[in-house]
């Protein structure tokens, strides 16, 4: 199953709930999940990192569905076909 199919399956299963919840609730849950991911990374707990990355991705896909955004195409365009890494402030 590719990412577009996963997003579609999530939409079929959860869109009604997401629509009732609203964008601010979905965003708040995303922030909460990112915080939990940060804690897992701080602890270097790989099992928890896997769990929290899954939750973060789920919320990102839920928000993409909520706003009807073709995130997969944009992801490919921006990061696979393009290369924004030249703008990243990385240590040398």
């Amino acid at each position: 199953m590719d990412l577009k199919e996963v997003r579609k399956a999530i939409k079929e299963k959860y869109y009604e709930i997401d629509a009732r919840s609203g964008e601010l609730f979905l965003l708040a849950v995303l922030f909460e999940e990112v915080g939990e991911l940060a804690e897992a990374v701080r602890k270097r707990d790989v099992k928890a990192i896997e769990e929290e990355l899954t939750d973060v991705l789920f919320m990102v896909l839920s928000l993409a569905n909520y706003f009807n955004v073709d995130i997969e195409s944009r992801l490919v365009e921006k990061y696979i076909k393009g290369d924004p890494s030249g703008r990243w402030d990385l240590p040398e």
Side-chain angles (χ1 to χ4, degrees), residues 4-28:
K4 192 174 283 273
E5 293 169 328
V6 170
R7 183 168 63 92
K8 183 180 177 193
I10 288 170
K11 186 171 189 173
E12 289 170 359
K13 188 168 183 176
Y14 296 102
Y15 184 78
E16 187 178 312
I17 296 167
D18 290 345
R20 286 195 321 260
S21 299
E23 66 268 16
L24 294 180
F25 177 80
L26 296 175
L27 197 57

Side-chain angles (χ1 to χ4, degrees), residues 24-37 59:
L24 294 180
F25 177 80
L26 296 175
L27 197 57
V29 174
L30 173 62
F31 292 163
E32 179 182 344
E33 296 301 344
V34 169
E36 291 172 3
L37 173 60
M59 291 313 302

